[in-house]
């Protein structure tokens, strides 16, 4: 039997149940077919979003629900053009009034923080988490968001931003500083509405070194984490993070979610006394492409190593088969 209490205990460093969970993107096409709530509509309609978010619990027995399914709400609220995606793909930022060719502009005067929180999908996601928590108190509700640097790069263009970090770092820093109050307020509102806030953090070694991490990530993510006062929080970073693992663990989150398939035991040995590790079932090779036996074996391996919460180490791929998610939810049976 999976329960919210098991997850809460694990996030408090209590018990040894190693419960299965999903804190990351949870929508799949088979779930959409089961409930009739499909992307892209389920990313823009609150009732459809909530119904789809409940499918991991209703179909497989997870004690968790996660909203939203994408990472574009903040950029859209600031005026970016969003491609809504399709049943098989998530929304994406495809245009921005703040992008200039091969450069990065100074941050303009944006709307107030209160206005930012009061409309668009930012408001809808806060309301969705609140409704899930109120209507389903037996579920551990996770809200997802992104960090200030990722919002800045979505607004200015990822390639432009990465180049500007080398050519005009002070201007990039101003963008991160500008985005931080909005993301801190958003994080606090989500923490009031849910049990856990899952923050996608810019920690991949593809874009960060220890030096840039200390400049562009640490001060602002630490401030954001301190805003999550009413719930647990999970710091998540995609990609290779071996060089910044201790940095990620020191940001102030309750738990840390990173890709661990290369050396799960080594990562646990490095970090288990510093943070709560959640993971680390590989979403593509195992959940999408593997068999139920593969999923159960992976989940049991991470439980035996000592990971307190067993979950996908990144977003669940949209075409993941139901039987593999069922296997994860029931890996202890």
């Amino acid at each position: 039997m999976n329960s919210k209490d098991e997850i809460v205990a694990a996030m408090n460093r209590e018990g040894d149940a190693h419960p299965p969970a999903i804190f990351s993107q949870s929508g799949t096409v088979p779930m959409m077919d089961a409930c009739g709530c499909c992307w892209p509509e389920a990313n823009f309609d609150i009732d459809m979003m909530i119904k789809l978010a409940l499918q991991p619990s209703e179909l497989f027995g997870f004690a968790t629900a996660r909203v939203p399914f994408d990472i574009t709400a903040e950029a859209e609220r600031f005026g970016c053009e969003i491609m809504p995606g399709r049943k098989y793909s998530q929304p994406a930022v495809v245009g921005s009034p703040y992008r200039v060719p091969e450069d990065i502009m100074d941050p303009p005067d944006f709307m107030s923080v209160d206005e930012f929180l009061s409309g668009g999908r930012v408001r809808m996601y806060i309301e969705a988490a609140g409704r899930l928590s109120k209507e389903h108190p037996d579920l551990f509700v996770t809200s997802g968001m992104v960090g200030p640097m990722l919002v800045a790069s979505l607004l200015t263009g990822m390639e432009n931003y990465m180049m500007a970090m080398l050519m005009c770092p002070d201007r990039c820093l101003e963008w991160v500083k500008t985005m931080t109050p909005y993301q801190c307020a958003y994080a606090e509102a989500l923490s009031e509405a849910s049990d856990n806030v899952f923050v996608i953090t810019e920690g991949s070694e593809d874009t960060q070194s220890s030096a840039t991490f200390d400049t562009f990530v640490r001060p602002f993510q630490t401030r954001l984490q301190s805003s999550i006062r009413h719930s647990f929080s999970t710091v998540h970073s995609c990609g290779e993070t071996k060089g910044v693992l201790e940095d990620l663990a020191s940001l102030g989150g309750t738990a840390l979610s990173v890709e661990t398939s290369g050396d799960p035991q080594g990562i646990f040995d490095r970090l288990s006394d510093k943070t709560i590790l959640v993971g680390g079932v590989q979403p593509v090779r195992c959940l999408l492409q593997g068999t139920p036996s593969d999923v159960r074996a992976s989940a049991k391996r991470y439980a035996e190593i000592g990971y307190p919460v067993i979950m996908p180490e990144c977003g669940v791929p949209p075409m993941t088969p139901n039987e593999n998610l069922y296997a994860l939810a029931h890996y202890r049976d």
Side-chain angles (χ1 to χ4, degrees):
M1 177 70 71
N2 300 329
S3 74
K4 176 179 177 176
D5 289 343
E6 288 180 324
I7 299 171
V8 170
M11 296 290 276
N12 281 319
R13 291 185 178 272
E14 299 170 355
D16 59 355
H18 309 283
I22 302 177
F23 293 174
S24 55
Q25 190 294 114
S26 63
T28 69
V29 171
M31 290 186 212
M32 297 176 206
D33 291 338
C35 69
C37 297
C38 304
W39 296 346
E41 293 83 6
N43 288 307
F44 300 91
D45 179 280
I46 190 170
D47 294 322
M48 295 180 73
M49 175 177 294
I50 288 171
K51 190 171 182 179
L52 182 56
L54 289 170
Q55 294 309 296
S57 170
E58 295 180 357
L59 293 177
F60 315 121
F62 285 101
T64 54
R66 150 71 190 245
V67 288
F69 310 110
D70 75 310
I71 60 169
T72 62
E74 298 101 310
E76 183 183 45
R77 184 66 179 140
F78 285 119
C80 289
E81 179 185 357
I82 305 298
M83 180 181 66
R86 303 165 68 183
K87 186 176 181 179
Y88 304 89
S89 61
Q90 297 161 306
V93 177
V94 294
S96 170
Y98 316 108
R99 294 182 184 176
V100 294
E102 299 179 357
D103 199 0
I104 179 172
M105 61 188 292
D106 292 324
D109 291 330
F110 289 103
M111 68 183 80
S112 70
V113 170
D114 288 343
E115 184 179 356
F116 172 75
L117 294 178
S118 68
R121 285 190 294 144
V122 167
R123 169 50 51 187
M124 188 178 80
Y125 291 171
I126 296 168
E127 292 178 358
R131 280 181 52 183
L132 280 166
S133 296
K134 182 178 180 180
E135 297 168 11
H136 302 274
D138 57 323
L139 297 181
F140 187 86
V141 176
T142 290
S143 298
M145 63 175 294
V146 300
M149 182 177 158
L150 183 50
V151 178
S153 64
L154 288 172
L155 267 58
T156 60
M158 184 69 72
E159 186 175 336
N160 286 356
Y161 192 89
M162 292 298 107
M163 182 61 68
M165 286 176 66
L166 301 174
M167 304 301 295
C168 47
D170 290 345
R171 200 177 304 164
C172 287
L173 197 57
E174 285 303 311
W175 271 95
V176 182
K177 290 178 180 177
T178 299
M179 293 296 103
T180 297
Y182 297 97
Q183 295 308 95
C184 286
Y186 188 30
E188 182 170 9
L190 290 174
S191 77
E192 291 175 341
S194 55
D195 299 297
N196 179 42
V197 181
F198 185 89
V199 184
I200 299 175
T201 307
E202 307 83 356
S204 170
E205 291 178 31
D206 294 334
T207 59
Q208 298 293 331
S209 65
S210 293
T212 58
F213 188 96
D214 286 339
T215 300
F216 295 99
V217 178
R218 183 189 301 281
F220 311 103
Q221 283 287 352
T222 301
R223 181 178 166 188
L224 187 153
Q225 288 295 325
S226 69
S227 300
I228 303 174
R229 292 186 271 262
H230 311 285
S231 72
F232 298 113
S233 64
T234 302
V235 174
H236 172 76
S237 184
C238 301
E240 179 59 66
T241 58
K242 286 185 179 180
V244 293
L245 284 172
E246 284 78 9
D247 294 314
L248 289 167
S250 71
L251 294 178
T254 310
L256 177 63
S257 164
V258 292
E259 297 184 18
T260 62
S261 55
D263 185 19
Q265 183 68 62
I267 290 175
F268 182 81
D269 292 343
R270 284 174 63 178
L271 298 181
S272 59
D273 63 338
K274 299 176 177 65
T275 190
I276 294 166
L277 284 165
V278 296
V281 178
Q282 215 283 332
V284 175
R285 188 176 65 252
C286 191
L287 276 180
L288 176 64
Q289 300 173 342
T291 66
S293 294
D294 295 331
V295 174
R296 284 191 293 269
S298 178
K300 288 178 179 179
R301 179 189 183 198
Y302 280 90
E304 289 167 357
I305 290 172
Y307 285 70
V309 179
I310 309 303
M311 53 175 261
E313 64 183 15
C314 201
V316 177
M319 293 306 299
T320 297
N322 282 350
E323 55 267 28
N324 284 356
L325 288 169
Y326 185 91
L328 176 58
H330 295 271
Y331 86 93
R332 299 177 296 180
D333 295 353

